[in-house]
Amino acid sequence: MGFSSRVVAALLAGSLAFSPAAGAWADPVAPKAGAKAPDAKPDAKPDLAAAKRHYAQGDKLFKAGDFAGALPEFQAANDIKSTPQVERFIGMCEDNLGHFHAALDWYAKFLDHVPEKLASQGDELRKRSAEIKAMPGKVHVDSTPAGATVSVDDKPAAAPTPTDLDVAPGSHVLKLTAAGRVATTKTIDVAFASSQTVTAELAAEPPAPPPPPPAAPVAVAAPAPAAEAAAGPQPPAEPRSKVPAFVTGGLAIAAAGVGAVFGVLALNDQTNFNKTPTTQTADNGDTHALICDMAFGVAITFGVTSAVLFLTRDDAPAAATASTSAPRPAHDPQGVSVAATPIVGPHTGGAGLAVRF
């Protein structure tokens, strides 16, 4: 049989009495035969019979689920004589009625002096106390105008204002936003199993500044006509003169003739030297051969120059001018230049041809 059941049975039988020394309800001890009863002290002695009645009635109502009715009965019994068991029942009544702060106070009193036989109940109440301290607080949020979006620590709430939120114990930041309104931020401290209301008035956003005036158009001066366009169409270039080509060609023929003459003389000197070798004949042969070589070199030089002058087109100067502003491809025939160079030595003569492209 449980503790509370034994208390009820004992109260109905009238066989229990409250023992102040034991701190609980105990069997009365009959006085020994012949012993003198102590003097009565009505002002100091508690009314144990009344305590028993209140406890029994409170236990009956508690088991029936009438915690509001059981609470005053247990409180009346505790006022007469406080015991750990009565404190436990008072705390459980407050807990079931939703008075969580009061329940924690009574649980703490019980846990300060838990009887050994109620050790398991003490463990249960320690666990229950931790659960109560972790309970969220109820926060009702309202705004003007209504319909604002609410976020708690940057986490959006499920519904707009007005709304009720379950917020964990601690410090939190509420933020309310609405279209066309200035956002409002509030810091709240939430206690466990508490209730509070937060209201906010969202001011209208200031009107946007007018857009800047459009920039004035910038006048752009018309480009000046090119010098060539201003001067009008250019007259066609005069055809290139062929006189230099004829002159150089004639010089080439004359030089070739000179070379031929001195070549014959050099061959004749060689024949005479072979027949009668003398120093004079050898010197004459070398001189005539040198003049022959030089003449043929000059002939070749003037001949090439004359050919270049004959073959150059009339539009070559214009193409050459254009080449100064843009590079010509390597295969462009207008980019080819030919130069003749005479070669003269102590015992030889001739001409070289330099081609650039």
Side-chain angles (χ1 to χ4, degrees), residues 57 157 197 285 305 325 339:
Q57 183 63 20
T197 299
T305 304
S325 59

PDB file of all heavy atoms in Angstrom, residues 57 157 197 285 305 325 339:
ATOM      1  N   GLN A  57      -8.484  14.792   2.745  1.00  0.00           N
ATOM      2  CA  GLN A  57      -9.358  15.377   1.728  1.00  0.00           C
ATOM      3  C   GLN A  57      -8.560  15.810   0.490  1.00  0.00           C
ATOM      4  O   GLN A  57      -8.992  15.625  -0.656  1.00  0.00           O
ATOM      5  CB  GLN A  57     -10.103  16.580   2.319  1.00  0.00           C
ATOM      6  CG  GLN A  57     -11.105  17.228   1.378  1.00  0.00           C
ATOM      7  CD  GLN A  57     -12.252  16.306   0.983  1.00  0.00           C
ATOM      8  OE1 GLN A  57     -12.526  15.295   1.673  1.00  0.00           O
ATOM      9  NE2 GLN A  57     -12.935  16.624  -0.093  1.00  0.00           N
ATOM     10  N   ALA A 157       8.886  33.991 -38.494  1.00  0.00           N
ATOM     11  CA  ALA A 157       7.771  33.318 -37.846  1.00  0.00           C
ATOM     12  C   ALA A 157       6.794  32.814 -38.901  1.00  0.00           C
ATOM     13  O   ALA A 157       6.822  33.213 -40.057  1.00  0.00           O
ATOM     14  CB  ALA A 157       7.083  34.280 -36.875  1.00  0.00           C
ATOM     15  N   THR A 197       3.689  40.488 -23.862  1.00  0.00           N
ATOM     16  CA  THR A 197       3.158  41.061 -25.094  1.00  0.00           C
ATOM     17  C   THR A 197       4.131  42.117 -25.604  1.00  0.00           C
ATOM     18  O   THR A 197       4.627  42.948 -24.828  1.00  0.00           O
ATOM     19  CB  THR A 197       1.775  41.688 -24.863  1.00  0.00           C
ATOM     20  OG1 THR A 197       0.873  40.670 -24.421  1.00  0.00           O
ATOM     21  CG2 THR A 197       1.241  42.312 -26.142  1.00  0.00           C
ATOM     22  N   GLY A 285      98.523  42.807-120.888  1.00  0.00           N
ATOM     23  CA  GLY A 285      97.396  41.871-120.820  1.00  0.00           C
ATOM     24  C   GLY A 285      96.549  42.089-119.559  1.00  0.00           C
ATOM     25  O   GLY A 285      95.318  42.075-119.604  1.00  0.00           O
ATOM     26  N   THR A 305      69.718  49.247-114.683  1.00  0.00           N
ATOM     27  CA  THR A 305      69.021  50.492-114.362  1.00  0.00           C
ATOM     28  C   THR A 305      68.054  50.867-115.463  1.00  0.00           C
ATOM     29  O   THR A 305      66.912  51.279-115.220  1.00  0.00           O
ATOM     30  CB  THR A 305      70.042  51.620-114.143  1.00  0.00           C
ATOM     31  OG1 THR A 305      70.963  51.235-113.115  1.00  0.00           O
ATOM     32  CG2 THR A 305      69.359  52.907-113.771  1.00  0.00           C
ATOM     33  N   SER A 325      52.386  54.438 -94.870  1.00  0.00           N
ATOM     34  CA  SER A 325      51.381  54.433 -93.814  1.00  0.00           C
ATOM     35  C   SER A 325      50.860  53.052 -93.493  1.00  0.00           C
ATOM     36  O   SER A 325      50.221  52.864 -92.475  1.00  0.00           O
ATOM     37  CB  SER A 325      50.194  55.338 -94.214  1.00  0.00           C
ATOM     38  OG  SER A 325      49.634  54.871 -95.431  1.00  0.00           O
ATOM     39  N   ALA A 339      68.845  47.588-106.908  1.00  0.00           N
ATOM     40  CA  ALA A 339      69.933  48.561-106.981  1.00  0.00           C
ATOM     41  C   ALA A 339      71.184  47.866-107.523  1.00  0.00           C
ATOM     42  O   ALA A 339      71.524  46.768-107.064  1.00  0.00           O
ATOM     43  CB  ALA A 339      70.202  49.178-105.620  1.00  0.00           C
TER      44      ALA A 339
END
